[in-house]
Amino acid sequence: MQPSKIMNKFNEYDVVQTTHSLSEQVPSGTKGTVLLVFRDLPFQYEVEFFDGAESLETLTVKEKDLQCFGLRE
């Protein structure tokens, strides 16, 4: 029997949304794009947050601080 493989929740280029405020520039509900996935447990993500066409901040974020925005294809 093989050990179960733990999967990350998000992939590069997924659009995500914050579940709570992460900084003054990134309040709860801010949308962002996953740029990198750090596969060490617990999973973390490099996310560029934006407001329309304006980049607000790029942060390393824990998986629990993000939720999927919209539908995945």
Side-chain angles (χ1 to χ4, degrees):
M1 181 186 282
Q2 293 181 338
S4 62
K5 183 177 179 184
I6 298 174
M7 300 289 291
N8 52 299
K9 188 173 181 180
F10 306 108
N11 296 304
E12 291 178 358
Y13 308 114
D14 280 354
V15 177
V16 295
Q17 186 171 12
T18 59
T19 58
H20 61 274
S21 180
L22 300 178
S23 73
E24 190 173 306
Q25 294 84 11
V26 182
S28 179
T30 302
K31 295 176 195 75
T33 302
V34 176
L35 303 177
L36 292 170
V37 178
F38 299 106
R39 302 212 182 267
D40 293 333
L41 292 177
F43 291 114
Q44 294 189 56
Y45 304 88
E46 190 79 8
V47 181
E48 180 179 12
F49 293 97
F50 54 88
D51 182 14
E54 180 183 350
S55 178
L56 301 174
E57 191 169 6
T58 300
L59 299 171
T60 300
V61 184
K62 295 178 182 174
E63 190 168 81
K64 67 179 183 68
D65 298 327
L66 301 170
Q67 62 187 10
C68 189
F69 180 77
L71 299 175
R72 272 188 164 174
E73 294 188 27

